[in-house]
Amino acid sequence: MNIELQLCGLVMLLIFLVLILRDRKLYVKNSFLFIAAFGACIVCLIFDIASIVFIHKAVYEGFSPVITRAVCKIYIMLLVTQGYCGFLYACLDIAVQFKMRLIRTLAFIIYLIGEILIIVLPLEYFMDGRTVYSFGPAALCTYALAIFYISATLYLSIRHKKDIPHRRLIALFTWQGMWLIAAFIQFFSKETLLVGFAAAMGMIVLYSQLENPNEHIDRVTGLFTQNALSLYLQDRYTYRKSFAFYTARIKYLIPNAELDIKKNAVIRSARAFLKLGKEPVFRIGDDIFCVIYDSPERAYEKLLEIKALADGVTDIPGEAKFIYFPDSNMLSGADEIFNFIHCYDDSAENLLVCDQELIDKMRSRSEIYGLIENALRDDRVEVYYQPIYSVKEGRFTSAEALVRIRREDGSMVPPGDFIPVAEENGQIIPLGIRVFKKVCEFLASGEVRALGVENIEVNISVAQFEHENPAGFVKSHLETYQIDPSCINLEITETADNGLKHLLMRNMEKLINMGVSFSLDDFGTGRSNLDYFVSMPARNIKFDFSFTQGYFSNDKIRHVMNGMVNIIHDMDMKIVSEGVESQEQYEAMAALGVDYIQGYYFSRPIPGPEFIGFLKEHHT
Ligand code: C2E
Ligand code: CA
Ligand code: CA
């Protein structure tokens, strides 16, 4: 009997079925449809084989033609079911829109009508040696339906190519392609019964490419991975199934060197999470776990349970920090959830509850992130210059470069709105480089120098020392634009971090050796301290706006400033007073002995060309 290929296909599918059933699965809509299609394929193959056995018996042993026809009909009906399941599975990634629902309803109606037609229409069978087939109106109907589902699947996949992940598209095409080729061969060579086998192979392609749950399992802990979480969340949002969840970040208090111990601790922690209940547990970072629940009450109860355990989960000392999300509807989707976790995963709190205020803050941060990204891409980062006046020389000898972002509508965003975010998320690196490049371009023409400006002061965040090697980029830019290092003065603020301070000092030393000078910014605010003031090899000290203003409103500040001026001068440093807004203030500062004055009294920060105009007006 001509059933070898089908038997092979069946055995293959049964082996895979065992594997699939054995794996731990994450139930998303995808997997249900896949299991339906897989099941249909197995049953179909069984009836494929049965129909050949029955036809054989009917033709050669006189077995009941009615029963044989019935078996043949069940087989072709299952074939159509398989095509229908495949179609649904293929449609899944295409957005759940009204139109899709319409197409799906239509496909269902066609499916029902097709199956009824197969039941009522006549079907004949033929067998001669290895040649075996069924024919007649019911068989024709099957062909028509198969062609309909295959072409509908291909059409939708091509039409919505952009909504379907590439890998899925390739897998779907391979699967459908195998069907088509097999059907084609079988149509012309009736002895080659390929369709059943091709369908089985197709299922295995889909399983290995799209549904293999091992891809979603973390090897160390056996928990689901971050990718799995992403899929799972997308699914829950798409089908509007609200949920609550929490993340736990466990910091094991062991030295880095003992990796094996840490691995062991992670495995034991994972086990503790699994013991909490049947809900899916994800490992979404080295030491971040996440569990999803249908109700906020249960999520919170379990959170408290594991929190009470947290330190005692393993005998390795650890510290756990939790973020609790009571209601998934507060966030717009998987991306926002990951964004939130990323944004707050180093929060100081042991239990952070995701509320509207935190969400708003995160949204504004991601908005700023986008603002900076786009501004860098579209070259909308601008540098303004605020003139700095030398009291002794009676002219403008310097200017501070201050960054701004121009919005697409032309309005300006002040640095206070985006620098703190950029410092936190690392965008300060590309941003700082862009500002420095613009300053170099500005200096390269030599025009400002010809107008008496000796140097430009550029702000550099301590965060830039952490991620980058500022000495390197400053040097390379100065060389590219052939700028004398003495034209650059870098303004720095302090850092409480000792490691950073060390790095800062090393870089400063390199830059000073190159000929670049430094100013200590924000003197007189909470950010300044004596240690820095003494150890920093800065040429200038910049009195902060609030410090300068305090001189006129606070007796104590006035006394401090009087004393500081002498101390700073004794230490061979110069003073720049920021925030001088009126003539009286200017005169008072000059009388106090301040060397340089910067403030609205002379000018607000202005664009480069305007600054050149300003210099021309005042210096010629
Ligand atoms: P900062 O370094 O203390 O800069 C001085 C700020 O005081 C500037 O604000 C300036 O416009 C403002 N200012 C100057 N004179 C007066 C005055 O007379 N009255 C008043 N009320 N304000 C005055 P801006 O441009 O908004 O910059 C704010 C901060 O953003 C800067 O403070 C600096 O910390 C940071 N920043 C600006 N550009 C950069 C940059 O390129 N890189 C980095 N890392 N930070 C920058
Ligand atoms: Ca500054
Ligand atoms: Ca300042």
Side-chain angles (χ1 to χ4, degrees), residues 381-384 386-387 400-404 413-420 423 428 431-432 435-436 439 457-462 464 491 493 521-522 527 542-545 549 577-582 585 598-605:
V381 173
E382 296 189 10
V383 176
Y384 277 33
Q386 186 174 34
E400 178 171 2
L402 293 154
V403 66
R404 272 106 184 84
V413 190
D417 287 3
F418 59 88
I419 291 284
E423 284 178 338
I428 193 67
L431 197 61
V435 170
F436 197 74
V439 171
E457 305 195 350
V458 186
N459 290 284
I460 178 154
S461 295
V462 175
Q464 285 172 263
E491 293 191 6
T493 50
D521 206 357
D522 296 342
R527 295 213 264 177
K542 294 194 80 166
F543 282 179
D544 186 68
F545 171 80
Q549 291 296 320
S577 233
E578 283 182 333
V580 171
E581 292 188 339
S582 65
Q585 288 180 359
Q598 175 184 356
Y600 292 176
Y601 170 59
F602 288 116
S603 168
R604 286 177 180 254

Side-chain angles (χ1 to χ4, degrees), residues 114-151:
E115 297 285 52
I116 293 169
L117 279 178
I118 292 174
I119 294 173
V120 298
L121 288 175
L123 181 77
E124 298 302 331
Y125 49 80
F126 173 84
M127 182 177 247
D128 181 14
R130 287 182 68 80
T131 308
V132 52
Y133 58 88
S134 49
F135 62 97
L140 279 180
C141 184
T142 310
Y143 274 115
L145 283 169
I147 290 172
F148 168 74
Y149 284 124
I150 293 181
S151 26

Side-chain angles (χ1 to χ4, degrees), residues 113-251:
I113 295 176
E115 297 285 52
I116 293 169
L117 279 178
I118 292 174
I119 294 173
V120 298
L121 288 175
L123 181 77
E124 298 302 331
Y125 49 80
F126 173 84
M127 182 177 247
D128 181 14
R130 287 182 68 80
T131 308
V132 52
Y133 58 88
S134 49
F135 62 97
L140 279 180
C141 184
T142 310
Y143 274 115
L145 283 169
I147 290 172
F148 168 74
Y149 284 124
I150 293 181
S151 26
T153 307
L154 290 178
Y155 169 75
L156 281 176
S157 314
I158 293 170
R159 170 119 194 258
H160 296 273
K161 223 167 43 204
K162 282 192 214 101
D163 301 322
I164 307 179
H166 189 65
R167 184 179 162 131
R168 189 175 171 87
L169 206 66
I170 300 282
L172 286 177
F173 280 172
T174 315
W175 170 47
Q176 298 282 327
M178 283 164 88
W179 256 82
L180 266 179
I181 294 169
F184 192 76
I185 294 174
Q186 189 168 331
F187 190 80
F188 288 103
S189 158
K190 298 264 188 279
E191 270 183 39
T192 324
L193 301 185
L194 257 184
V195 168
F197 183 73
M201 285 292 286
M203 276 298 139
I204 287 164
V205 169
L206 289 189
Y207 175 75
S208 64
Q209 291 299 300
L210 304 178
E211 297 297 332
N212 185 355
N214 288 328
E215 279 190 13
H216 294 147
I217 303 274
D218 173 52
R219 276 171 202 273
V220 176
T221 55
L223 303 179
F224 294 115
T225 58
Q226 172 159 345
N227 278 347
L229 177 63
S230 168
L231 256 179
Y232 188 69
L233 293 178
Q234 268 165 22
D235 195 70
R236 292 203 73 137
Y237 274 105
T238 307
Y239 297 100
R240 301 211 170 78
K241 285 188 274 178
S242 57
F243 56 95
F245 72 107
Y246 58 80
T247 64
R249 186 194 186 113
I250 305 181
K251 197 169 151 207

Side-chain angles (χ1 to χ4, degrees), residues 492-523:
I492 48 160
T493 50
E494 289 155 21
T495 165
D497 185 320
N498 248 334
L500 262 184
K501 186 184 168 194
H502 186 68
L503 222 100
L504 187 73
M505 292 293 195
R506 261 212 336 250
N507 271 283
M508 276 179 86
E509 216 171 280
K510 280 193 213 161
L511 286 160
I512 289 171
N513 288 339
M514 245 154 52
V516 172
S517 61
F518 280 86
S519 294
L520 186 60
D521 206 357
D522 296 342
F523 190 84

